Amino acid sequence: MSRTASVTTRRALMKGVAWAAPVAAVATTAPALAASPLPIEAVLDAGKSCKLPRTKQYRLSFTFVNTGAKVTVKLRSITVSPNSNTHVSFPLDSSNDTFEIAAGGTHSVDYVSHVSGNAADGQASATFTLEDGSGEREVTQNFGFQSFSNCKD
């Protein structure tokens, strides 16, 4: 019976390590990325959002949906950028720009803009910070919209 000895060369070993290293790196970073989705989503309520034609202002209604643990939300800014390139800002009210949302809860807020020269189609954005015990994160969400209907009240 004849036996042949198998010898692994240093070059073959290094090739194997070079191919295995990227796989190991990906495998170790994937769990960290999977744990990073934000627990809060701001939703622009198109049914409640509208324009005030007499005063040329917007009323935007947001609902914040919490899919994680209890969190504190602080609104930093709300803007509307109609396609006419006339940017509209919203004054934030200290009585409702910071609020807590229980785990699995929601919170709705309405804001009325400064006077606007145009209430056409465009984009709205909301910037807010989240505090959930693991630190504070700043988030900006953008919302495209068609022309809002006139407010009924």
Side-chain angles (χ1 to χ4, degrees):
M1 186 180 324
S2 151
R3 289 190 171 185
T4 55
S6 173
V7 177
T8 303
T9 65
R10 206 172 352 163
R11 178 177 286 188
L13 181 64
M14 293 312 289
K15 280 184 185 178
V17 168
W19 279 105
V23 173
V26 169
T28 58
T29 59
L33 293 175
S36 64
L38 294 173
I40 292 289
E41 180 182 8
V43 177
L44 179 63
D45 186 338
K48 291 182 180 177
S49 298
C50 55
K51 58 186 173 184
L52 302 159
R54 286 188 215 134
T55 58
K56 296 189 178 187
Q57 293 173 291
Y58 288 96
R59 179 187 305 148
L60 297 184
S61 181
F62 294 95
T63 298
F64 289 82
V65 180
N66 183 3
T67 59
K70 182 175 107 174
V71 67
T72 300
V73 176
K74 178 167 180 59
L75 255 52
R76 299 289 184 194
S77 69
I78 299 173
T79 58
V80 168
S81 301
N83 292 338
S84 64
N85 293 325
T86 305
H87 298 286
V88 182
S89 61
F90 288 71
L92 296 180
D93 180 353
S94 61
S95 68
N96 70 348
D97 66 351
T98 301
F99 44 89
E100 283 189 355
I101 307 174
T106 62
H107 183 82
S108 296
V109 290
D110 294 336
Y111 291 96
V112 176
S113 72
H114 289 291
V115 174
S116 163
N118 185 350
D121 299 357
Q123 178 173 304
S125 66
T127 300
F128 52 94
T129 56
L130 301 176
E131 169 70 54
D132 63 359
S134 65
E136 192 172 277
R137 296 176 274 181
E138 187 167 282
V139 178
T140 299
Q141 283 189 242
N142 296 311
F143 312 90
F145 61 87
Q146 299 297 316
S147 183
F148 289 114
S149 60
N150 290 338
C151 296
K152 294 182 180 169
D153 51 71

